[in-house]
């Protein structure tokens, strides 16, 4: 008896538990589905946060995903949205319908090229560290964003540049704050072609702000440092926007020669919000003039400096330059030996006048064919070069043509004879990569081919040095970068930068001074140097012949022809 009773009560008890547990399961299921749907919704990742800090009230929209595993957080001050920064894309188109890089507003993660201060989420949650990187500007401070939409006030170029320099003088402070502005253009070279002038002319545009230094060389020499280190060379977001800036950039001539740099610029900049890339600008000068400029700048002046200080064993210090001359190799010496080396590397002709492919194409293939960006082109152009439509073989001049130290007295294979026969003459270690390639670095097409494999054709701009001082050249370039039209006459009238010896990248020499220095040549001739290059006429002719096809390929590649052949 007891059993049926007990059994019935057990059944009753069980059935009375069943309903709530089904209900509970249903509720859990519904909650799970809702949270799952919410997780996929972008709105769910926006929290508005009110914070008080040091007497200021802040309102932020905090973007994060639901797993809270995002370790970098963009905090966008609400006030920024209120002043109307996020308008239509078209607001930033110039008269050619071109927008400057990064000015797209489909995301609130970036203020044009500038990234708001970054706050690691861990710090956000850990209030003890909270104050270290949060933006401490008050709401009304964001009024400074307004000039972006208005005609920039007509302050003089210099006061704008000087003021913005002052604003971001403290790079250390900027590093701590996070954020920063990305370069919208990179002048990648070529060295000794007027990169300093091009940079100074471009930042003379009132909507372009200069970097802390003309050449930063981040992608060549400093990749082990964080990107924040690089951005700290550019205006702070505040100073950038306050000055109505649309673009900033830098000029590092050491970028052009290296395929790895082209790859790294793309890879690293693509990871940033917007995935836009900086525009690539290259300036090219008559190859022989560049070569002569490099000979003086990278060999003669540093070697004289070295000798004057008595650094070379057996050569007394403080002699006159004329007395030191016998210790220097001539331009003719260098050109002859490098030309022979380059012919072996690129193409050479045997006694029967038959043309042979040099060692450079195969060496370059072996070195680079494991890189996805370059493999296809290398297969077509270096392995099967009979098909001209794919372009000439890719050659990594710097990496393949020059070899390395032969002995303590012979620094490069190309100088074996020169150095052995002239033991009293000096080549210093310091600029070997430049001294070895006086002609090579004038063959602009070789390195530029690699940049064309990595960047869109429309993102690469080529300017001829000889046209730099024409304000119309600069206006065209600025328009093609998406900037408003601007008359550069006043800027170019300042003169040429980094002329002759080591006067500095930021030092302008007036055109009149240049005219006087260059023996009273006409102003036009002073702008387009016509100095005699000290080599024998026969070698000059041979060089001209040698560089002509490479110049021709450069003009084909860039769609732009310079006055040199
Ligand atoms: N506007 C203009 N027109 C023609 N030539 C010009 C111009 N501006 C600079 N220059 C000449 O360019 C040479 C300096 O180039 P860079 O600034 O690129 O040199 S560097 O690689 O950054 O050291 C340097 O050449 P050299 O004087 O022959 O050495 C400058 O005189």
């Amino acid at each position: 008896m007891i059993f049926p009773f007990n059994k019935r009560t057990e059944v009753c008890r069980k059935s009375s538990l069943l309903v709530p547990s089904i209900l509970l399961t249903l509720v859990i299921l519904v909650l799970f589905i809702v949270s799952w749907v919410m997780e996929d919704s972008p709105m769910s990742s926006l929290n508005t946060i009110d914070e008080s800090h040091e007497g200021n009230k802040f309102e932020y929209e905090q973007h994060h995903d639901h797993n809270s595993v995002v370790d970098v957080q963009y905090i966008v001050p609400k006030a920024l949205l209120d002043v109307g920064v996020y308008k239509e894309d078209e607001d930033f188109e110039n008269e050619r319908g071109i927008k400057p890089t990064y000015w797209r507003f489909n995301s609130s993660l970036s203020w044009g090229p500038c990234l708001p201060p970054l706050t690691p989420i861990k710090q956000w949650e850990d209030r003890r560290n909270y104050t270290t990187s949060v933006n401490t500007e008050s709401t009304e401070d964001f009024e400074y964003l307004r000039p972006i939409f208005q005609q920039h006030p007509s302050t003089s170029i210099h006061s704008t540049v000087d003021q913005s320099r002052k604003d971001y003088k403290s790079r250390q402070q900027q590093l701590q704050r996070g954020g920063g502005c990305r370069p919208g253009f990179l002048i990648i070279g070529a060295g000794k072609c007027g990169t300093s002038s091009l940079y100074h002319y471009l930042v003379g545009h009132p909507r372009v702000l200069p970097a802390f230094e003309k050449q930063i060389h981040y992608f060549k020499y400093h990749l082990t440092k964080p990107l924040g280190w690089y951005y700290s060379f550019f205006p702070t977001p505040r100073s950038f926007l306050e000055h109505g800036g649309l673009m900033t950039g830098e000029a590092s001539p050491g970028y052009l020669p290296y395929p790895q740099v082209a790859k790294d610029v793309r890879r690293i900049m693509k990871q940033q919000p917007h995935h836009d890339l900086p525009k690539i600008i290259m300036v090219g000068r008559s190859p022989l003039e560049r070569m002569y400029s490099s000979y003086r700048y990278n060999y003669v002046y540093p070697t004289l400096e070295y000798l004057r200080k008595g650094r070379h064993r057996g050569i007394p210090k403080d002699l006159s330059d004329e007395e030191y001359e016998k210790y220097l190799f001539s331009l003719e010496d260098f050109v002859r030996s490098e030309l022979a080396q380059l012919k072996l590397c690129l193409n050479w002709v045997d006694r029967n006048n038959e043309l042979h492919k040099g060692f450079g194409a195969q060496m370059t293939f072996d070195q680079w064919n494991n890189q996805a960006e370059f493999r296809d082109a290398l297969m077509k152009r270096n392995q099967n070069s009979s098909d001209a439509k794919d372009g000439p073989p890719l050659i990594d001049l710097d990496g393949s043509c020059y070899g390395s130290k032969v002995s303590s007295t012979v620094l490069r294979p190309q100088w074996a004879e020169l150095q052995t026969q002239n033991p009293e003459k000096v080549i210093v270690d310091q600029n070997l990569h430049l001294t070895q390639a006086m002609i090579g670095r004038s063959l602009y097409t070789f390195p530029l081919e690699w940049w064309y494999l990595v960047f869109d054709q429309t993102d690469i701009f080529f300017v001829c040095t000889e046209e730099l001082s024409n304000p119309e050249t600069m206006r065209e370039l600025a328009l093609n970068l998406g900037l408003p039209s601007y008359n550069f006459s006043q800027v170019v009238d300042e003169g040429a930068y980094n002329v002759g010896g080591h006067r500095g990248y930021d030092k302008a020499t007036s055109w009149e001074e240049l005219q006087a220095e260059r023996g009273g040549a006409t102003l036009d001739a002073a702008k387009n140097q016509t100095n005699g290059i000290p080599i024998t006429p026969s070698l000059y002719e041979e060089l001209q012949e040698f560089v002509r096809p490479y110049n021709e390929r450069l003009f084909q590649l860039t769609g732009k022809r310079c006055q040199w052949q």
Side-chain angles (χ1 to χ4, degrees), residues 190-197 201 214-215 253 285 293 296-297 465 468-469 496-500 505 511 518 527 529:
K192 307 318 300 169
C193 290
T195 56
S196 310
S197 283
Y201 296 167
K214 170 220 161 191
Q215 44 188 66
R285 176 182 187 181
S293 168
R296 285 172 293 162
Y297 189 86
T465 305
L468 257 189
S469 50
Y497 290 77
N498 198 19
V499 170
Y505 306 124
W511 296 116
R518 288 173 188 169
K527 286 181 182 179
Q529 294 189 20

Side-chain angles (χ1 to χ4, degrees), residues 182-200:
R182 293 164 286 180
F185 67 84
L186 297 179
I187 298 171
I188 59 170
K192 307 318 300 169
C193 290
T195 56
S196 310
S197 283
L198 177 52
Y199 168 78
H200 284 286

Side-chain angles (χ1 to χ4, degrees), residues 259-541:
Q260 186 64 41
V261 172
K263 250 184 71 170
D264 285 339
V265 170
R266 186 184 176 90
R267 177 178 59 82
I268 291 165
M269 299 308 281
K270 267 278 176 205
Q271 289 163 1
Q272 300 301 300
H274 273 185
H275 310 298
D276 270 1
L277 289 170
K279 304 292 182 206
I280 303 301
I281 307 174
M282 197 217 119
V283 53
R285 176 182 187 181
S286 151
L288 273 63
E289 299 223 338
R290 195 219 75 86
M291 175 191 84
Y292 183 34
S293 168
S294 171
Y295 170 70
R296 285 172 293 162
Y297 189 86
N298 297 311
Y299 175 68
V300 176
Y301 300 130
T303 312
L304 283 176
E305 198 56 31
Y306 172 83
L307 296 178
R308 280 186 207 119
K309 287 182 180 152
R311 293 244 186 96
H312 199 82
R313 204 145 41 110
I315 303 182
K317 67 175 178 179
D318 293 331
L319 299 181
S320 69
D321 286 358
E322 288 69 38
E323 287 169 299
Y324 280 132
E325 211 166 288
K326 63 174 179 287
Y327 298 111
L328 300 184
F329 285 105
S330 67
L331 180 64
E332 177 107 3
D333 288 336
F334 277 135
V335 168
R336 278 198 191 287
S337 50
E338 190 193 339
L339 195 55
Q341 177 78 7
L342 279 176
K343 285 180 177 174
L344 287 178
C345 183
L346 301 173
N347 288 308
W348 55 282
V349 180
D350 67 15
R351 282 195 198 136
N352 302 321
N353 231 9
E354 274 184 41
L355 184 74
H356 298 268
K357 202 161 83 175
F359 63 81
Q362 187 61 45
M363 250 183 103
T364 303
F365 179 85
D366 295 343
Q367 194 188 340
W368 288 103
N369 87 90
N370 60 348
Q371 305 284 318
E373 293 85 348
F374 304 133
R375 192 177 304 123
D376 271 5
L378 283 166
M379 286 301 291
K380 285 185 196 148
R381 293 163 61 166
N382 291 35
Q383 298 299 88
N384 175 26
S385 53
S386 54
D387 196 351
K389 84 171 171 24
D390 293 317
L394 286 161
I395 312 279
D396 172 6
L397 277 186
D398 201 84
S400 301
C401 288
Y402 296 102
S404 50
K405 207 175 199 172
V406 177
S407 67
S408 61
T409 47
V410 177
L411 298 176
R412 289 289 178 270
Q414 72 195 47
W415 296 325
E417 222 179 281
L418 269 188
Q419 293 200 281
T420 316
Q421 288 175 0
N422 301 281
E424 77 290 359
K425 297 201 177 187
V426 176
I427 302 178
V428 285
D429 262 359
Q430 194 190 342
N431 289 324
L432 277 183
H433 63 300
L434 301 167
T435 317
Q436 71 180 7
M438 284 173 193
I439 308 172
R441 290 204 176 209
S442 297
L443 305 179
Y444 315 115
T445 183
F446 286 106
L448 200 58
E449 300 268 6
W450 300 84
W451 289 82
Y452 273 94
L453 291 178
V454 172
F455 283 80
D456 288 345
Q457 200 174 357
T458 49
D459 286 344
I460 300 181
F461 300 90
F462 173 63
V463 184
C464 311
T465 305
E466 297 73 14
E467 294 167 17
L468 257 189
S469 50
N470 179 349
E472 191 49 32
T473 306
M474 293 307 303
R475 196 181 78 91
E476 266 298 303
L477 176 64
L479 280 170
N480 289 331
L481 292 174
L483 294 162
S485 176
Y486 181 66
N487 181 351
F488 282 88
S489 303
Q490 212 192 326
V491 177
V492 169
D493 277 353
E494 291 285 313
Y497 290 77
N498 198 19
V499 170
H502 291 255
R503 293 185 205 178
Y505 306 124
D506 303 326
K507 168 93 177 78
T509 304
S510 75
W511 296 116
E512 289 69 27
E513 205 178 317
L514 269 180
Q515 191 180 355
E517 273 180 28
R518 288 173 188 169
T522 62
L523 203 56
D524 266 357
K527 286 181 182 179
N528 300 314
Q529 294 189 20
T530 51
N531 285 353
I533 295 170
I535 51 175
T536 53
S538 61
L539 185 58
Y540 187 90
E541 278 305 307

